[in-house]
């Protein structure tokens, strides 16, 4: 079983032992990066125990996903490069580019998780309390809160799809699904074989999030 993620002008594929990234550069050439996976449970076996491994696997997947996304973004620099902040420059001077980069990615993952919890769970709960001014029914409040979760999630995806860079990421989402389908079918990974596969994959993380929010 393998998984993947859409990137800017490319995809990341991840198997049990290796991870591969392919990005189409502005000149049309392909940049390929293949590396062995280093799982945290291999270094600390206790983190592979049931009820514990899911949290660390999720955080590890997010870290790898953000790292791959930043790798693909490096091939498409912004027209106007921003000057690094004093804090960023201080970290680079003290720790070096590699360690500072790992800290930035970790902060991005932590902020991403915090934003997801705040946007998709805390905000609907807060807005749902407004129903109490109209009725004391817990059923009505729960229904309103649930509808708000779904509306916010769909609106978030719609907003992201209108951003130039994220629109390119979404454009490769189906290509990632097709590639995984082709691999799992045991077919050679050729363009012709991949094109025949369906765009929607049952293990899609975005679909899974929608199901979780809908069921909750």
């Amino acid at each position: 079983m393998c998984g993947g993620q859409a990137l800017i002008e490319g995809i990341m594929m991840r198997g049990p032992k290796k991870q591969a990234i392919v990005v189409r550069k502005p000149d049309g050439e392909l940049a390929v990066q293949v590396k062995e996976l280093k799982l945290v449970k291999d270094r600390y076996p206790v983190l592979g125990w049931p009820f514990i491994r899911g949290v660390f696997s999720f955080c590890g997947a997010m870290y790898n996903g953000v790292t791959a996304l930043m790798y693909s973004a490096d091939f498409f620099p912004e027209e106007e490069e921003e000057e690094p902040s004093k804090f960023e420059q201080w970290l680079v001077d003290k720790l070096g580019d590699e360690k500072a980069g790992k800290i930035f990615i970790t902060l991005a993952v932590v902020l991403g998780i915090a934003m997801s919890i705040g946007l998709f769970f805390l905000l609907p709960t807060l807005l749902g309390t407004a129903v109490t001014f109209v009725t004391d029914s817990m059923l009505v409040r729960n229904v309103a809160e649930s509808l708000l979760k779904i509306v916010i999630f769909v609106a978030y995806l719609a907003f992201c799809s209108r951003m130039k860079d994220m629109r390119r990421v979404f454009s490769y989402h189906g290509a990632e699904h097709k590639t995984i389908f082709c691999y799992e079918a045991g077919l050679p990974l050729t363009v012709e074989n991949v094109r025949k596969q369906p765009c929607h994959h049952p293990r899609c993380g975005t679909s899974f999030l929608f199901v979780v929010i809908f069921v909750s």
Side-chain angles (χ1 to χ4, degrees), residues 33-53:
Q33 181 192 79
V34 180
K35 65 178 182 179
E36 298 281 344
L37 287 177
K38 297 180 181 179
L39 303 178
V40 66
K41 67 178 182 179
D42 295 335
R43 296 177 58 187
Y44 307 101
V46 67
L47 300 183
W49 291 2
F51 303 108
I52 298 178
R53 63 189 177 196

Side-chain angles (χ1 to χ4, degrees), residues 63 87 91 95 98-109:
Y63 184 90
F87 175 68
L91 276 179
L95 304 176
E98 185 175 351
K99 289 185 178 180
K102 290 182 178 180
I103 291 177
F104 293 143
I105 294 173
T106 302
L107 288 175
V109 171

Side-chain angles (χ1 to χ4, degrees), residues 5-13 19-34 64-77 165 168-169 172 175 179:
Q5 175 181 314
L7 306 174
I8 299 175
E9 299 294 337
I11 61 173
M12 179 264 283
M13 302 292 293
Q19 173 180 292
I21 298 174
V22 180
V23 179
R24 186 178 299 280
K25 298 187 289 186
D27 60 4
E29 294 292 323
L30 297 179
V32 182
Q33 181 192 79
V34 180
N64 286 330
V66 173
T67 303
L69 194 59
M70 292 180 67
Y71 172 80
S72 67
D74 286 341
F75 294 100
F76 303 91
D165 290 341
R168 294 305 301 160
V169 173
Y172 278 83
T179 307

Side-chain angles (χ1 to χ4, degrees), residues 96-165:
D97 289 334
E98 185 175 351
K99 289 185 178 180
K102 290 182 178 180
I103 291 177
F104 293 143
I105 294 173
T106 302
L107 288 175
V109 171
V110 172
L111 290 175
I113 294 175
M115 190 192 75
S116 299
I117 294 174
L119 188 62
F120 302 129
F121 294 97
L122 298 183
L123 181 60
T125 301
L126 181 63
L127 295 176
T129 58
V131 177
T132 58
F133 293 106
V134 180
T135 176
D136 293 331
S137 173
M138 288 301 297
L139 176 61
V140 174
R141 177 179 174 178
N142 287 334
V143 170
E145 184 179 327
S146 300
L147 291 176
L148 282 170
K149 285 182 180 180
I150 297 175
V151 169
I152 290 174
F153 180 70
V154 174
Y156 172 79
L157 290 179
F159 173 76
C160 288
S161 68
R162 300 186 67 84
M163 299 170 63
K164 182 180 178 181
D165 290 341

